[in-house]
Amino acid sequence: AVVSTQSTGYQETKDIKLDDVQCSSDDWSSCTVQTSHDCTHEDDLHLSCKDCGPGTYSDNEKCVQCPVDTFNDDYGLESEFECIPCPFMLVSDPGTKSFDDCVPEFSIVGKDGTSLYDKGVDLWYYVADQIEGTLFYRGGTVCSDHFNDTAADAICRDMHLPHGDASWTTVAESNGAKLFDFQKDKDIKLDDVRCSSDDWSSCTFQTSHDCTHWEDVYLSCKGENIVYPWD
């Protein structure tokens, strides 16, 4: 809640009924008041009652941004005092306001902007022996700085897709020196991806970048190897 002083015309005919309101908690029973006063209507309180709003929660003292991989919206289903975990295998940025913004960690998006494969949502046997498209990480694109075939294999393996002979290029090179329309309003979420093996845990990266969408990774997952989700 927010308080300020404010005087409007209709107040002048009203009595001042409370003064010296002091509360030790957010429970009215904890408050003490005086019914006599030494005030004018210039001292009247203007009160604004509001909750923390989407993407935040109350810790009983202040509004706090929802942590990573959670959300809090205003549909009336979520608690003001906690954020809700994204569903299984979906992720989100801090301060996420909607379930709709919980996204797969990795996705491959086709040239028409539709998702071809979402990690944790789709299963490997729904795709062909090779799948290729624009690489997405947490709803944004991946810059190609320092990216190589080892990084390509590591990401394909992490998505439970064919790997061992994965390759990559930039989106601009794959699309005749043109960008796809669906890229243009997306954030670039990863840069400087370096992997020492085909295991994603061996990789380092930056979440800040110095790239443009011309450098976005276009990934091709292929090879004889598959790591199953239950392995």
Side-chain angles (χ1 to χ4, degrees):
V2 176
V3 294
S4 61
T5 56
Q6 180 173 324
S7 179
T8 58
Y10 68 82
Q11 296 168 247
E12 303 301 330
T13 62
K14 304 297 183 181
D15 293 333
I16 297 173
K17 290 294 186 76
L18 286 185
D19 192 14
D20 297 330
V21 178
Q22 299 177 79
C23 301
S24 60
S25 76
D26 62 359
D27 191 316
W28 178 245
S29 65
S30 75
C31 303
T32 60
V33 301
Q34 296 292 328
T35 54
S36 59
H37 70 88
D38 56 358
C39 306
T40 71
H41 282 298
E42 294 293 330
D43 301 313
D44 286 352
L45 289 180
H46 179 77
L47 180 67
S48 175
C49 297
K50 59 182 181 179
D51 62 19
C52 288
T56 63
Y57 71 100
S58 170
D59 68 356
N60 289 319
E61 294 183 359
K62 59 185 179 299
C63 291
V64 181
Q65 189 179 57
C66 285
V68 66
D69 300 341
T70 68
F71 72 98
N72 201 356
D73 60 23
D74 58 357
Y75 294 157
L77 301 176
E78 285 69 47
S79 169
E80 180 183 355
F81 302 101
E82 64 179 4
C83 297
I84 309 303
C86 287
F88 179 66
M89 296 296 286
L90 297 182
V91 298
S92 69
D93 292 334
T96 293
K97 301 176 181 179
S98 169
F99 165 82
D100 295 334
D101 293 321
C102 291
V103 297
E105 183 180 29
F106 284 112
S107 296
I108 294 179
V109 176
K111 294 185 176 182
D112 62 355
T114 59
S115 177
L116 300 178
Y117 186 88
D118 293 331
K119 177 186 173 182
V121 178
D122 299 316
L123 297 176
W124 67 271
Y125 50 75
Y126 286 132
V127 303
D129 292 338
Q130 177 176 340
I131 182 170
E132 64 179 39
T134 303
L135 178 61
F136 272 67
Y137 174 79
R138 303 181 76 96
T141 60
V142 178
C143 180
S144 59
D145 288 352
H146 302 291
F147 204 87
N148 59 21
D149 288 349
T150 302
D153 265 326
I155 292 172
C156 291
R157 182 178 187 269
D158 188 67
M159 287 193 286
H160 310 293
L161 287 173
H163 62 279
D165 192 25
S167 60
W168 67 280
T169 185
T170 63
V171 168
E173 290 171 344
S174 74
N175 195 40
K178 296 179 182 178
L179 295 180
F180 299 122
D181 287 340
F182 64 81
Q183 292 172 258
K184 298 175 182 178
D185 63 347
K186 302 297 183 182
D187 294 330
I188 298 172
K189 290 291 187 75
L190 281 187
D191 191 16
D192 297 332
V193 179
R194 295 178 169 95
C195 302
S196 59
S197 75
D198 67 357
D199 191 317
W200 178 241
S201 65
S202 77
C203 304
T204 60
F205 53 82
Q206 300 291 329
T207 53
S208 58
H209 69 88
D210 56 359
C211 307
T212 70
H213 283 301
W214 292 99
E215 302 168 84
D216 287 350
V217 169
Y218 188 87
L219 181 66
S220 177
C221 292
K222 57 187 176 183
E224 299 297 324
N225 302 323
I226 286 281
V227 175
Y228 300 106
W230 51 85
D231 284 348

